[in-house]
Amino acid sequence: MTNWPYPRFIAHRGAGKLAPENTLAAFRHGASFGYRMFEFDVKLSADGKPILMHDATLDRTTTGKGRVDALTLGELAALDAGGWHSPAYAGEPVPTLAAIARYTQANGFMVNIEIKPVPGIEYRTGAAVALDALSLWKGAGTPPLLSSFSEVALEAAHQVAPDLPRALLLDTLPADWLERLRRLECVALDANHRELDAAVIGAAHSAGFKVLCYTVNDRVRAANLLSWGLDGLITDAVDQIAPQS
Ligand code: G3P
Ligand code: MG
């Protein structure tokens, strides 16, 4: 990717913790603070449809119970994904990737789709999400940036949609992190911010990769990372970290 089209400030799970994560309400809340790019987590329903959900189980963020991939899209549609957060958001549905594609493109927003498979279906999830992203963002000005901690999911995405940009998520940096990025033909490293310093960012840039990180909620830390040349900062603190600063 020669022209990096993405803004440096990215809202985590929609609007971090201020609204129910991974719901359309969270995106609207993040947008109200000026955010123009959103990270969110995608996995598959029992019938193979990409939906937004962080955990492998429904219990923490919905009225459902058990594994996400035990319910069909129709069954997931009956759940409340907002009431757990606060009464103001009761009744908020679990969004499909298609709904998020419509909302973000209608408003000129960019996305970072984190492919987050439930354990055991990494390849299928990577392929299905990438294929859906390819068709949903066809003709959009800026492609979605795909990312995953699962190298199997990224490999699948690479195979079915080679032209969609990919970033490898790493919570700790293994010695061969640059080789991994090259092997998956990624455009970027997306690391836990604690793993980054000026030298790591410089090494990635010298090798031709952009650098993103999660989840930075402290303004001083954000300023330091950006001063070292960070390309994308994923934050919960959409009310504290101004997206244009
Ligand atoms: O995509 C970056 C970040 O979201 C990874 O961590 O657990 O919040 O999905 P997590
Ligand atoms: Mg995520």
Side-chain angles (χ1 to χ4, degrees):
M1 192 167 236
T2 46
N3 253 342
W4 185 248
Y6 305 110
R8 285 192 298 172
F9 296 89
I10 305 164
H12 185 222
R13 305 184 196 175
K17 301 176 191 305
L18 299 175
E21 64 185 56
N22 289 315
T23 67
L24 200 41
F27 283 64
R28 293 193 178 106
H29 201 60
S32 76
F33 289 97
Y35 276 73
R36 296 187 298 111
M37 184 164 177
F38 299 86
E39 184 270 356
F40 51 94
D41 309 294
V42 176
K43 41 179 50 76
L44 299 182
S45 62
D47 46 348
K49 303 286 192 273
I51 54 102
L52 274 64
M53 188 78 56
H54 180 275
D55 297 0
T57 56
L58 298 159
D59 303 53
R60 182 178 62 89
T61 60
T62 77
T63 45
K65 292 206 181 318
R67 277 175 67 115
V68 177
D69 61 335
L71 298 195
T72 63
L73 188 60
E75 290 167 335
L76 289 166
L79 302 179
D80 177 352
W84 68 274
H85 180 276
S86 49
Y89 293 109
E92 192 64 31
V94 174
T96 60
L97 183 57
I100 295 303
R102 276 194 289 277
Y103 170 75
T104 54
Q105 288 173 53
N107 290 283
F109 297 150
M110 284 157 266
V111 297
N112 168 205
I113 302 174
E114 183 189 340
I115 305 170
K116 215 175 196 50
V118 294
I121 55 169
E122 286 81 3
Y123 189 92
R124 181 148 47 97
T125 305
V129 173
L131 276 177
D132 229 33
L134 195 59
S135 72
L136 290 168
W137 271 267
K138 189 170 182 213
T142 306
L145 175 63
L146 306 181
S147 63
S148 190
F149 289 104
S150 166
E151 296 189 28
V152 173
L154 284 180
E155 269 168 24
H158 184 197
Q159 279 176 12
V160 303
D163 293 337
L164 289 184
R166 291 171 301 285
L168 176 61
L169 278 161
L170 289 170
D171 204 44
T172 54
L173 289 187
D176 64 345
W177 61 273
L178 270 174
E179 284 69 38
R180 290 179 195 227
L181 293 178
R182 287 195 192 99
R183 187 179 66 78
L184 293 159
E185 295 183 36
C186 288
V187 297
L189 164 69
D190 190 351
N192 186 317
H193 76 91
R194 294 184 182 88
E195 294 293 293
L196 297 184
D197 55 25
V200 172
I201 293 172
H205 284 167
S206 298
F209 298 106
K210 300 291 184 180
V211 182
L212 293 82
C213 72
Y214 63 92
T215 306
V216 183
N217 296 330
D218 179 81
R219 274 186 288 201
V220 174
R221 179 66 176 159
N224 283 337
L225 287 156
L226 292 165
S227 75
W228 298 330
L230 184 77
D231 303 288
L233 181 136
I234 299 172
T235 183
D236 290 320
V238 296
D239 58 336
Q240 303 288 320
I241 297 178
Q244 307 304 333
S245 65

